[in-house]
Amino acid sequence: MLSALIWIPIAGAILMGLLPASWESRRCRKIALAIAFIPFIWTLWLGIQFNTLQTHLQFVEYIHWIDWLGLNYHLGVDGLSFPLIFLNSFLTVIAIWISDRSKERPRFYYSMILLLSAGAAGAFLAQDLLLFFLFYELEIIPLYFLIAIWGGERRGYAAMKFLIYTALSGILVLASFLGLVWFSGATTFDYEPLRNQNLPIELQLALLGMLLVGLFIKIPIFPFHTWLPDAHVEASTPISVLLAGVLLKLGTYGLLRFGVGFFLDAWVILAPWLAILAAISALYGAFTAIAQTDMKKVVAYSSIAHMAYILLAAAATTPLSLMAAEFQMVSHGLISALLFTLVGVVYKKTGTRDVKVLRGLLNPERGLPLTGSLMILGVMASAGIPGMVGFIAEFLVFRGAFPIFTIPTVLCIIGTGLTAVYFLLMINRVFFGRLSEQFSQIPPVAFREHLPSLALTALIFIFGIQPAWVVRWSEAQTTALIISPALQSTIIIEQKEATGNRQLGNKQAIKQQATDIS
């Protein structure tokens, strides 16, 4: 059942490669879009079947694979991974939809997007550490080609920098996993049994340190962030959407699943330093965004700042803050995808992203009024305006972290205030004022080009008004992260006993009532 989310995109990638070379780009795009819709619809169907009250894995698939290596094909989904699975399948559809209809080498391009989606889905579903690592590394290959072939002028430099940084990230993550299995004496890489390990705190700190550095590169967190702005600027718009909306979440997902899940004692010791690092990263991203003149770089550095809020929430390690971290992942994925999509529309119609050149694009007759209006809504969501998903996510993060780390939380709140500063500067320069003469003949934006942005905006408002639709998926699971597996079993047994006692008490009460009536 879960394998379909991985193998349908892989089969689709193979199918795209086998299509006739003579087929035009538009035809290939339609086929890729149809393939991408299948995992998305399948995800929605899984969501209907998903039990949000359970903390154990659902729809589990387990196949012995390589016994001598301890590697098993073990898939499962829970409240921590399901929202990200939805985000991955949805944004894959968005990315293919907004891809240029006249794309060069379309068969290879859409194959790489589908393979990228399969790698991300596999990482979120994997319940075997080595299997997670394989999918974690799988997505590097297609993303490298997507940047190196279809990127901007400095695409070779950006792609190679991305490859080096993310390869180093994978090495550190793998080293931490191998150390955990080796020193715990486990015979497999299965996730749940490894949560019961009882390693010395010094060893936990060493393994957690390696894991954190590897994941900080992926997220990214200052000072391991330098690959991200280059990758975003040189990547095409659809790839930036997937990079910010999905692939960065592999790092934050790893923080919760493996950092908190495996090394809770060591995590608590390092938590104050993690909170400080989150505050530094948030402020760095915000202040650097203010200085940018490229619209894409503004959004890229904003992404660094907002991903730091997830680290702050994870550092607090309370049920509320962990739930907030998951919510912030979904919120950032939707908002960043919207902003990058709209920046792509501006660039496509004007040929530039320079805020010093662009002006007056909100002009209702000759400009891009709907694009500007949606951009303003996206900026408002990122700045945490009430009624949108960004406000709920940031409020939960700060409410959950403030009692634990007051000063870092206040600094991150200041970073949120700076979000309004750099985005308002960009909006004011690009969309307000008198329309420049050189942009007086801007091509109109077709409705189909705005449809992905409208869909993203709708979800931003829906989840902002009804946050429970997101929270209910992950609340039980994020709480279970800070409860040991043994204690979870005890709680489940006690719940069953309590239910049985209530049922027995009800039966006795009914019998007593019947006796009284007699």
Side-chain angles (χ1 to χ4, degrees):
M1 187 175 290
L2 296 180
S3 291
L5 300 176
I6 302 172
W7 294 104
I8 288 178
I10 292 177
I14 296 173
L15 175 63
M16 295 300 301
L18 297 176
L19 293 178
S22 59
W23 281 19
E24 61 180 4
S25 177
R26 292 189 178 187
R27 196 171 183 182
C28 295
R29 175 181 171 274
K30 290 179 181 178
I31 295 174
L33 193 60
I35 295 171
F37 260 109
I38 298 174
F40 175 61
I41 295 172
W42 193 255
T43 302
L44 296 179
W45 184 84
L46 289 176
I48 296 173
Q49 308 296 319
F50 191 86
N51 187 343
T52 58
L53 300 179
Q54 293 183 6
T55 59
H56 58 265
L57 294 174
Q58 301 181 46
F59 314 117
V60 176
E61 298 179 16
Y62 191 95
I63 300 174
H64 290 287
W65 191 3
I66 307 176
D67 290 334
W68 62 269
L69 193 59
L71 172 61
N72 298 305
Y73 183 79
H74 187 186
L75 303 180
V77 65
D78 56 18
L80 192 60
S81 56
F82 182 80
L84 302 178
I85 289 294
F86 166 79
L87 200 61
N88 175 53
S89 60
F90 175 64
L91 293 184
T92 300
V93 173
I94 295 291
I96 295 176
W97 186 287
I98 65 177
S99 294
D100 196 345
R101 293 193 168 195
S102 57
K103 182 70 67 176
E104 296 181 0
R105 303 175 66 180
R107 297 181 303 155
F108 189 45
Y109 173 79
Y110 292 116
S111 293
M112 292 298 100
I113 288 185
L114 292 172
L115 195 59
L116 188 65
S117 176
F124 291 136
L125 293 173
Q127 300 301 318
D128 182 284
L129 301 192
L130 199 52
L131 187 64
F132 169 85
F133 170 76
L134 292 176
F135 285 118
Y136 186 84
E137 292 294 285
L138 174 63
E139 50 85 18
I140 295 177
I141 301 171
L143 189 55
Y144 170 80
F145 285 117
L146 288 167
I147 297 174
I149 298 176
W150 294 277
E153 294 181 0
R154 300 175 69 243
R155 57 185 179 270
Y157 167 77
M160 184 57 65
K161 192 173 183 179
F162 159 78
L163 183 63
I164 293 172
Y165 270 76
T166 50
L168 178 60
S169 168
I171 291 171
L172 291 172
V173 170
L174 178 61
S176 178
F177 288 169
L178 292 175
L180 175 62
V181 173
W182 176 269
F183 289 109
S184 64
T187 57
T188 70
F189 287 86
D190 279 346
Y191 174 78
E192 281 298 334
L194 288 170
R195 288 197 67 197
N196 291 311
Q197 50 80 20
N198 188 22
L199 298 177
I201 191 63
E202 296 82 5
L203 186 56
Q204 286 193 42
L205 288 169
L207 296 175
L208 178 60
M210 285 191 293
L211 179 67
L212 287 176
V213 174
L215 296 176
F216 285 169
I217 295 173
K218 194 74 171 184
I219 295 174
I221 296 294
F222 175 87
F224 308 102
H225 67 286
T226 57
W227 66 270
L228 183 66
D230 291 323
H232 271 310
V233 169
E234 299 306 323
S236 60
T237 298
I239 309 312
S240 288
V241 167
L242 290 176
L243 178 58
V246 179
L247 301 181
L248 302 187
K249 307 304 178 292
L250 289 173
T252 49
Y253 170 79
L255 289 180
L256 300 185
R257 176 71 75 187
F258 307 119
V260 177
F262 285 148
F263 309 108
L264 185 57
D265 295 335
W267 183 276
V268 172
I269 295 174
L270 295 180
W273 301 103
L274 298 179
I276 293 171
L277 186 59
I280 294 173
S281 189
L283 291 176
Y284 171 83
F287 280 116
T288 309
I290 293 175
Q292 303 306 311
T293 58
D294 187 316
M295 293 178 69
K296 225 178 183 186
K297 275 197 172 182
V298 174
V299 180
Y301 280 104
S302 170
S303 182
I304 293 173
H306 285 79
M307 292 296 284
Y309 301 158
I310 301 174
L311 177 59
L312 174 68
T317 327
T318 65
L320 178 59
S321 70
L322 294 177
M323 180 187 69
E326 179 78 8
F327 198 100
Q328 175 66 8
M329 290 188 219
V330 177
S331 170
H332 176 267
L334 295 173
I335 295 172
S336 62
L338 174 63
L339 293 176
F340 277 118
T341 299
L342 294 171
V343 170
V345 172
V346 171
Y347 181 70
K348 182 178 180 181
K349 299 302 178 181
T350 64
T352 182
R353 298 187 300 259
D354 192 342
V355 299
K356 293 182 179 179
V357 176
L358 295 167
R359 188 171 68 251
L361 294 185
L362 206 58
N363 186 294
E365 296 180 359
R366 297 180 297 164
L368 302 172
L370 182 55
T371 301
S373 301
L374 292 173
M375 178 68 80
I376 292 173
L377 291 176
V379 165
M380 292 169 63
S382 185
I385 299 300
M388 300 183 181
V389 69
F391 170 77
I392 301 297
E394 292 175 10
F395 176 80
L396 291 175
V397 167
F398 299 146
R399 178 65 183 87
F402 185 82
I404 312 299
F405 301 117
T406 303
I407 294 177
T409 303
V410 171
L411 293 176
C412 286
I413 293 173
I414 294 173
T416 297
L418 293 173
T419 301
V421 174
Y422 56 74
F423 272 139
L424 285 178
L425 287 173
M426 183 185 76
I427 291 293
N428 185 58
R429 293 170 180 172
V430 174
F431 291 99
F432 290 95
R434 187 181 183 86
L435 183 66
S436 301
E437 289 298 326
Q438 67 185 100
F439 301 119
S440 59
Q441 301 296 327
I442 299 177
V445 182
F447 176 76
R448 60 175 174 75
E449 296 178 273
H450 273 313
L451 191 58
S453 301
L454 292 171
L456 289 165
T457 303
L459 287 181
I460 287 171
F461 273 103
I462 290 171
F463 293 150
I465 297 171
Q466 283 288 354
W469 291 1
V470 177
V471 169
R472 70 190 186 95
W473 297 103
S474 57
E475 185 175 12
Q477 185 61 38
T478 50
T479 302
L481 278 176
I482 52 179
I483 302 176
S484 67
L487 184 56
Q488 287 184 44
S489 301
T490 303
I491 292 174
I492 292 173
I493 292 173
E494 290 178 351
Q495 289 176 343
K496 290 181 178 179
E497 291 178 349
T499 303
N501 291 336
R502 285 196 300 269
Q503 292 174 349
L504 180 61
N506 291 338
K507 290 179 181 179
Q508 292 176 345
I510 292 172
K511 289 181 179 180
Q512 183 63 43
Q513 290 176 2
T515 302
D516 294 341
I517 292 173
S518 299

